[in-house]
Amino acid sequence: MSDRNILVINCGSSSIKFALVHEYEPTFRLQGLAERLGSPEAVLQWQVGPEKQIKDMPGADHQAALSFILPLAQKAAGGHLDGIGHRVVHGGEHFTSAGIVNDEVLEGIRASAQLAPLHNPANLIGIEAAIELFPGLPQVAVFDTAFHQSMPDYAYHYAVPEFLYKEHGVRRYGFHGTSHRYVSKRAAEMTGLPVEDSCWLSAHLGNGSSTCAIVNGESRDTSMGMTPLEGLVMGTRSGDVDPNLHSYLASTLGWSLDQIDNMLNRDSGLKGLSGLSNDMRTIYEAKKAGHQGATLAFNVFCYRLAKSLAGMACALPRLDGLIFTGGIGENSAAVRAQTVEFLKLFNIKLDAEANARCVCGVAGEIQAAGSPRVMVVPTNEERQIALDTLALLDD
Ligand code: AMP
């Protein structure tokens, strides 16, 4: 079989990101983003080759946007759309891998919705709209959490009363699984190591950030937990804080749970520390210009990342390489340099020239001679979702 095309759909609460992935072509034939869905400012942007287009769709909801996107995808695929791969954020303990969408899978996504109330319902809307518009096309759900279902129990349990896990699903699940899996497989390919005998630390650094320890193609630990708030400092998310912060803020400032939740998810991280921006480009430029808040934000980001990587090393029998990916990991030589500087005991030395060269999608090894391996590997979650979809179509 050859020449297959998969439409990859990532539905957020008010957005749809999409890409048409051809199984052998490295670039997408079609990609785009519908934003502000459900509002008068709803807008759809897409790109076929170099050609960019934009369409105002006032009041359009997910269904309306998808009924425009799906024919676009059919056309870009030359009439041969073979399946749709849906990104689903939370699969709970129901899914250890991707699944062809059927009643059971839909039920599993619904059952996990209380763990991701902002994401899973939006993912479901996308799946249901796509089924209605293209009933004959195979649809596959690919879960952010599935890759981490291989974590051992001592890595995923919180030390809280066991009934909270057994009856309410309170445990660490981890996210960004599609990205960590993709880059660790790519790193193995690039170095000639077999996936099933390789050990990696991966740092996915974007608006959301997480680390992962990957042994022989399986996640053994990751920094995000029951929700994507745990772990690293992110664009607007705090990452780890003292769990007593909630009761302290409630009793001293009278803050409600909603206010605290909002502060930790939307007003913290790089944005909260710098008072300037959630974007690492802005933070780094301001740091260079001597801005104190930006300097602190940069240093806390890198130190906490180094500390997380050092912790993740507990899950590895050896280290074949440290992988940087995501918008920051792929583009910020300065974050990479500062992070390994904080990881003194790893004895990593970077090759400054190689580190500077690996930006804007350039992959490669960036360590100096004799140092443990450090790699920059651009992630491609859309391709991984398409590969998972194709694999299920082949079954
Ligand atoms: P992502 O969520 O993976 O798309 O990453 C988005 C983030 O990557 C942005 O918010 C920026 O902070 C960061 N980013 C993109 N380009 C650069 C760059 N050249 N230098 C530093 N950070 C960057």
Side-chain angles (χ1 to χ4, degrees):
M1 221 186 290
S2 65
D3 205 31
R4 289 179 299 178
N5 290 287
I6 300 297
L7 176 64
V8 175
I9 294 179
N10 179 358
C11 272
S13 53
S14 62
S15 68
I16 303 174
K17 212 174 147 194
F18 57 96
L20 185 71
V21 184
H22 182 281
E23 70 183 313
Y24 302 123
E25 291 172 10
T27 53
F28 303 145
R29 290 185 175 186
L30 164 77
Q31 58 187 317
L33 177 68
E35 287 179 287
R36 300 192 282 279
L37 294 173
S39 85
E41 288 84 39
V43 62
L44 173 65
Q45 303 180 54
W46 72 96
Q47 186 169 352
V48 180
E51 194 187 332
K52 290 186 180 167
Q53 305 211 49
I54 186 160
K55 180 180 166 62
D56 287 324
M57 302 186 81
D61 58 8
H62 287 79
Q63 174 102 18
L66 277 174
S67 52
F68 193 86
I69 292 166
L70 291 175
L72 278 182
Q74 279 282 24
K75 189 165 167 229
H80 291 290
L81 197 53
D82 296 277
I84 301 185
H86 296 269
R87 178 192 179 208
V88 180
V89 167
H90 220 306
E93 289 186 327
H94 300 277
F95 301 102
T96 54
S97 61
I100 297 242
V101 174
N102 54 26
D103 288 346
E104 201 185 320
V105 166
L106 285 172
E107 199 35 55
I109 299 172
R110 271 188 213 107
S112 310
Q114 71 191 52
L115 293 165
L118 295 179
H119 294 101
N120 275 32
N123 300 150
L124 271 171
I125 289 173
I127 295 174
E128 282 164 353
I131 292 174
E132 212 175 303
L133 291 161
F134 276 102
L137 213 51
Q139 318 248 352
V140 169
V142 180
F143 301 90
D144 270 18
T145 51
F147 182 53
H148 302 299
Q149 282 294 302
S150 49
M151 283 194 282
D153 58 2
Y154 52 80
Y156 71 72
H157 271 262
Y158 292 116
V160 296
E162 186 66 355
F163 81 92
L164 289 172
Y165 166 60
K166 291 216 165 100
E167 293 168 32
H168 302 284
V170 174
R171 54 158 282 181
R172 308 182 64 251
Y173 292 94
F175 299 85
H176 291 145
T178 307
S179 177
H180 289 301
R181 187 155 59 102
Y182 179 82
V183 297
S184 57
K185 277 195 314 181
R186 280 290 300 137
E189 278 167 21
M190 287 162 66
T191 51
L193 291 168
V195 174
E196 58 288 355
D197 184 16
S198 62
C199 300
W200 309 98
L201 286 177
S202 156
H204 175 109
L205 312 173
N207 279 321
S209 296
S210 66
T211 54
C212 186
I214 302 148
V215 178
N216 305 340
E218 291 184 350
S219 169
R220 293 290 165 83
D221 199 359
T222 189
S223 60
M224 283 178 168
M226 179 162 142
T227 76
L229 182 59
E230 187 176 332
L232 304 181
V233 173
M234 310 183 209
T236 63
R237 282 175 249 167
S238 62
D240 292 342
V241 291
D242 186 328
N244 266 333
L245 185 61
H246 282 74
S247 59
Y248 179 79
L249 294 176
S251 60
T252 55
L253 301 178
W255 283 15
S256 67
L257 280 180
D258 268 358
Q259 275 175 300
I260 299 169
D261 208 55
N262 223 29
M263 178 275 290
L264 293 174
N265 281 287
R266 299 197 168 81
D267 295 330
S268 296
L270 294 176
K271 181 182 168 197
L273 277 169
S274 68
L276 203 60
S277 170
N278 63 332
D279 192 310
M280 186 53 91
R281 285 165 287 205
T282 311
I283 297 294
Y284 183 58
E285 288 310 313
K287 170 189 173 313
K288 282 197 294 184
H291 188 285
Q292 269 191 358
T295 306
L296 180 66
F298 183 88
N299 287 335
V300 176
F301 182 94
C302 296
Y303 179 70
R304 290 268 299 272
L305 169 59
K307 194 162 137 174
S308 173
L309 289 166
M312 285 294 140
C314 285
L316 300 182
R318 62 167 198 276
L319 179 63
D320 290 322
L322 164 60
I323 304 166
F324 285 97
T325 193
I328 299 172
E330 292 167 27
N331 292 298
S332 179
V335 165
R336 299 187 298 240
Q338 184 60 64
T339 304
V340 301
E341 182 63 31
F342 278 132
L343 271 174
K344 285 255 178 344
L345 289 180
F346 277 46
N347 288 320
I348 293 171
K349 291 269 176 304
L350 292 188
D351 174 328
E353 194 270 323
N355 188 27
R357 193 178 59 240
C358 287
V359 292
C360 300
V362 177
E365 297 191 18
I366 59 170
Q367 75 281 1
S371 158
R373 186 186 283 119
V374 183
M375 301 179 74
V376 177
V377 182
T379 193
N380 194 333
E381 289 166 278
E382 291 82 2
R383 177 156 298 281
Q384 185 61 57
I385 290 172
L387 291 174
D388 286 350
T389 305
L390 285 165
L392 282 173
L393 300 190
D394 288 339
D395 271 357

